[in-house]
Amino acid sequence: MTSPLAPTTLGTDEARERLSELTVIDVRTPGEYASGHLPGALNIPLDHIRRALPEIRHAAGRGDVLVVCASGARSENACKLLAEQGIPTATLAGGTTGWAAQGHDLHQPAVCDTRAHWSMERQVRFTAGAVVLLGLLLGLLVHPAFQLLSAGIAGGLVFSAVTDTCGMAAMLGKLPHNRPRAADLDATLAALRGR
């Protein structure tokens, strides 16, 4: 194995200027990707990065690779993993949220599926809030011990903030609407090989 490389960070303006020469990999869930992504970005969810290593290595040999997510945390993790494999990459400062905040366009594919796609952060907030309310309600109506459910979620949120990880997001990422279909991932990997 080669020695680890230090991932770099590109600002949104620099990334926009260089967009045509970059291979952009979006590591968010398919639902988040469908809600809006950088023009030309390919969707390879973070938990599928290892499967895509040969294709990403091939793309990096032909030009610079930019890894993006919603805010930059997941793309930073992906860049570290790729650096450990000797693949040079950069992450986008502020992610797609920062990109959109700077007034740059996000591409939204025209698909027949008109369901709204929620960001992972929104899914986590909804799930955590619903479980807290459920724990409080069951604690009042059934048995006070159900309030421990709410306390558990509160503890999980504190742990998540302190460690900058999110176990709930990892679990929600395994739901069918957050998983790429095998055919979609295969098509993405083929497109990446062709770059």
Side-chain angles (χ1 to χ4, degrees):
M1 181 189 296
T2 60
S3 64
L5 304 168
T8 59
T9 302
L10 291 182
T12 54
D13 291 334
E14 182 182 359
R16 185 172 184 253
E17 289 172 12
R18 298 184 53 208
L19 195 58
S20 63
E21 66 189 57
L22 295 170
T23 297
V24 182
I25 298 172
D26 191 320
V27 296
R28 296 176 300 158
T29 66
E32 291 176 290
Y33 173 81
S35 70
H37 56 270
L38 271 66
L42 300 170
N43 184 220
I44 303 174
L46 182 58
D47 58 345
H48 289 275
I49 287 290
R50 289 192 187 279
R51 177 178 172 199
L53 283 174
E55 290 83 0
I56 297 170
R57 186 181 314 280
H58 175 76
R62 299 177 63 110
D64 292 337
V65 174
L66 178 66
V67 183
V68 300
C69 67
S71 65
R74 284 178 278 179
S75 60
E76 187 176 311
N77 289 338
C79 285
K80 287 177 184 173
L81 185 145
L82 293 168
E84 290 170 359
Q85 299 299 315
I87 302 171
T89 57
T91 186
L92 179 64
T96 55
T97 303
W99 178 270
Q102 291 293 318
H104 305 311
D105 290 333
L106 291 175
H107 176 73
Q108 293 180 318
V111 294
C112 296
D113 184 4
T114 58
R115 292 178 298 161
H117 297 283
W118 286 10
S119 71
M120 185 56 66
E121 179 187 356
R122 186 175 180 191
Q123 292 179 53
V124 168
R125 287 192 322 248
F126 176 81
T127 303
V131 173
V132 166
L133 285 175
L134 179 65
L136 291 174
L137 185 63
L138 290 173
L140 288 172
L141 300 176
V142 179
H143 191 278
F146 279 107
Q147 291 176 355
L148 291 174
L149 187 61
S150 299
I153 294 297
L157 291 171
V158 170
F159 179 80
S160 176
V162 169
T163 62
D164 197 22
T165 61
C166 187
M168 188 177 289
M171 289 180 3
L172 291 171
K174 298 189 182 311
L175 293 175
H177 67 276
N178 284 326
R179 307 290 300 167
R181 292 179 295 208
D184 291 343
L185 188 58
D186 290 341
T188 299
L189 295 179
L192 193 54
R193 279 190 293 272
R195 290 197 175 200

